[in-house]
Amino acid sequence: MFKQIFITTIITCVFVGGNPLSKIINGNEADPNSIPYQVGIFFKRANNKTTFCGGALISEYDVLTAAHCTNGSILAEVVLGAHNIWKEEPSQIRIISSDFITHDNYKVGVDDIALIRLRNPIKLTDQINIINLPSRQQETESFLNENATITGWGLLSDDAPTISDHLYVAQTKIMDNRLCGIAYFGSIRDSHICSESYGNLGAACDGDSGGPLVVDDILVGLVSFGSVLGCESQWPTVYSRVTSYLDWIKDHSTIKMK
Ligand SMILES: *[C@@H]1O[C@H](CO)[C@@H](O)[C@H](O)[C@H]1NC(C)=O
Ligand SMILES: *[C@@H]1O[C@H](CO)[C@@H](O)[C@H](O)[C@H]1NC(C)=O
């Protein structure tokens, strides 16, 4: 436990206008509105600070994000259909919600998953759409070596002063949990999924927390943490593994699953 805290760090939500932040590393600006399930979320925290996270729209009523984003927050402004997160674009909808469900067992880097429930159903458009969850048949799939996509407005480099204006996308690859566990000194569980960031592969950074990791149009992970060595260190990015939480999602969202 000491080692985990010492060696790894939560990809903290960006303090807007503040110091330590993150961006997608090794990515490219996304084609505007090409990732219709991506949401950006401004959280108002109990201490009055504002933080920023990503999330994924999984139904007309439900956004999945990280527990370290909702925990300690009192209000969320959920931005759907955005490319430039700071502008009011015609494609966007902004919704305020304080209806959070943070996983009961959430601890630093563990069960880092939460839902934000929206009071009224989102009207789905070309720019705002849901991402599929893994099916029950895929519940035991590892997704090992699959190509995967990560997206977010998080920091573009370790020394970036703030989040990216525009949504970025990077390609990555699902790695073996055992190898990832070596990189993180044993703090990787079955309920984690990791992506490689060697060479030209991408990595998540601060501000990408809670955002989607997608394989073949299926949501397989939510950004949880990276290495204290920095987002550009080529250390794996660690996500909550969505297949480990299908029951939790079924129990707490409006989604009907078998
Ligand atoms: C969750 O939030 C509570 C209240 O702000 C805080 O005491 C607790 O340490 C947080 N949990 C984690 C794992 O950060
Ligand atoms: C992953 O992407 C690379 C580069 O585009 C491609 O060569 C490879 O065949 C892909 N692998 C899978 C499993 O789809």
Side-chain angles (χ1 to χ4, degrees), residues 219-246:
L219 181 68
V220 301
L222 299 164
V223 175
S224 181
F225 62 91
S227 170
V228 287
L229 300 175
C231 308
E232 295 173 89
S233 64
Q234 308 205 342
W235 230 249
T237 299
V238 186
Y239 310 76
S240 299
R241 184 181 283 269
V242 175
T243 51
S244 299
Y245 296 98
L246 293 181

Side-chain angles (χ1 to χ4, degrees), residues 14-99:
V14 169
F15 283 82
V16 175
N19 296 331
L21 310 178
S22 82
K23 121 194 175 171
I24 291 279
I25 304 300
N26 249 341
N28 296 297
E29 186 176 331
D31 290 336
N33 306 113
S34 60
I35 315 286
Y37 52 84
Q38 174 81 43
V39 308
I41 314 167
F42 293 94
F43 285 97
K44 189 175 180 214
R45 302 193 60 88
N47 62 11
N48 236 355
K49 289 216 162 77
T50 299
T51 60
F52 183 81
C53 284
L57 187 67
I58 57 163
S59 84
E60 297 162 281
Y61 288 98
D62 300 284
V63 169
L64 270 181
T65 185
H68 76 264
C69 298
T70 55
N71 189 57
S73 293
I74 51 181
L75 208 67
E77 182 187 25
V78 178
V79 187
L80 304 112
H83 183 57
N84 186 324
I85 196 71
W86 299 113
K87 294 222 162 113
E88 296 206 359
E89 302 163 313
S91 56
Q92 285 182 15
I93 301 178
R94 290 179 180 245
I95 295 170
I96 303 288
S97 174
S98 55
D99 191 359

Side-chain angles (χ1 to χ4, degrees), residues 123-154:
K123 187 176 179 297
L124 302 180
T125 64
D126 286 346
Q127 291 92 21
I128 301 176
N129 209 342
I130 62 172
I131 180 79
N132 291 318
L133 295 170
S135 66
R136 288 291 187 186
Q137 288 71 33
Q138 290 170 311
E139 207 160 10
T140 56
E141 215 170 283
S142 69
F143 301 100
L144 179 61
N145 293 331
E146 297 280 1
N147 290 330
T149 303
I150 51 176
T151 42
W153 286 275

